[in-house]
Amino acid sequence: NAGVTQTPKFQVLKTGQSMTLQCAQDMNHNSMYWYRQDPGMGLRLIYYSASEGTTDKGEVPNGYNVSRLNKREFSLRLESAAPSQTSVYFCASTLSWTAEQYFGPGTRLTVT
Amino acid sequence: GESVGLHLPTLSVQEGDNSIINCAYSNSASDYFIWYKQESGKGPQFIIDIRSNMDKRQGQRVTVLLNKTVKHLSLQIAATQPGDSAVYFCAENPFPDMRFGAGTRLTVKP
């Protein structure tokens, strides 16, 4: 099993550009999440998908959109990147609300 | 708002010693807690979890203690090894309402 995979690993964008971060898991997990991690701060939830076909906002959803393409894949889109979105983005998945959460390796995004 | 925090941002220990990493939480209604390990350049890795109906839970070389009276959580690592060097952070509440602390950086000296 590859676990949770994310692409790309690194990305540099100019302000106003758009991009999609891809995430896939091969553990047949129901729930998937997108977090951002900023220096000196804990992970903050952007969006989550409790199950295939559903998505919900987390703590910091502004400026982002998501798509749960199927049970395996959950993508995060930045429509018009801003410097405040410079961060490390992690995708994660769980089987249930209190099950072990598996994280991907992260995408380091810089917006200039 | 209520948040999860850590007492110390850094901890340095000698290889072979035991490590204790602390975490304070302020939401008395929290009923589920997780400790994560994050190595440089990698995603967080689940270490151990504990529910509020427990005071202690043991894993392989790790023990989590929960003191609900003072809203304190600790992670004990026995016989700390160089591979334990990482940032450790606690989190409270079941998903998706989980709140994460900023972390403590553990450095293991040979």
Side-chain angles (χ1 to χ4, degrees):
Chain A
N1 286 351
V4 180
T5 57
Q6 291 182 236
T7 55
K9 284 187 166 33
F10 301 94
Q11 183 72 49
V12 179
L13 293 177
K14 293 188 188 307
T15 297
Q17 288 185 318
S18 63
M19 77 161 296
T20 300
L21 281 65
Q22 305 287 353
C23 174
Q25 51 91 10
D26 61 1
M27 296 171 284
N28 202 35
H29 285 171
N30 296 317
S31 303
M32 298 184 73
Y33 314 79
W34 276 105
Y35 293 94
R36 60 179 288 171
Q37 186 176 44
D38 299 301
M41 298 182 70
L43 290 164
R44 290 184 292 169
L45 183 64
I46 303 171
Y47 271 94
Y48 68 97
S49 170
S51 60
E52 186 179 354
T54 69
T55 61
D56 285 285
K57 295 179 180 179
E59 184 183 356
V60 288
N62 291 345
Y64 306 95
N65 284 301
V66 290
S67 295
R68 183 77 182 265
L69 304 170
N70 47 56
K71 192 169 187 178
R72 289 188 64 248
E73 299 172 287
F74 189 38
S75 63
L76 178 72
R77 183 161 178 82
L78 287 70
E79 290 292 351
S80 180
S84 61
Q85 294 178 305
T86 293
S87 189
V88 181
Y89 292 85
F90 289 101
C91 177
S93 69
T94 58
L95 193 56
S96 69
W97 293 134
T98 55
E100 181 173 344
Q101 191 177 45
Y102 291 82
F103 284 85
T107 294
R108 187 173 294 274
L109 175 67
T110 301
V111 183
T112 61
Chain B
E2 300 187 28
S3 63
V4 175
L6 291 164
H7 291 310
L8 297 172
T10 62
L11 177 65
S12 184
V13 300
Q14 206 70 39
E15 181 179 357
D17 287 351
N18 296 335
S19 302
I20 300 176
I21 301 170
N22 297 305
C23 179
Y25 66 95
S26 54
N27 185 354
S28 57
S30 295
D31 59 1
Y32 180 66
F33 305 87
I34 297 181
W35 277 102
Y36 288 95
K37 172 185 180 183
Q38 187 174 19
E39 296 175 271
S40 182
K42 296 185 178 180
Q45 180 183 1
F46 174 97
I47 300 173
I48 191 168
D49 61 357
I50 188 168
R51 296 179 188 272
S52 59
N53 61 352
M54 303 171 71
D55 296 324
K56 178 179 179 179
R57 190 167 188 212
Q58 289 185 293
Q60 190 174 14
R61 280 201 308 119
V62 296
T63 301
V64 56
L65 299 177
L66 176 62
N67 185 331
K68 294 179 286 294
T69 302
V70 296
K71 291 182 282 190
H72 183 268
L73 197 66
S74 68
L75 177 71
Q76 300 179 359
I77 304 173
T80 313
Q81 302 167 0
D84 295 327
S85 292
V87 173
Y88 292 81
F89 55 89
C90 62
E92 63 178 317
N93 288 333
F95 311 107
D97 300 319
M98 184 156 282
R99 291 289 182 260
F100 297 84
T104 292
R105 181 173 300 279
L106 174 66
T107 301
V108 182
K109 296 178 287 186

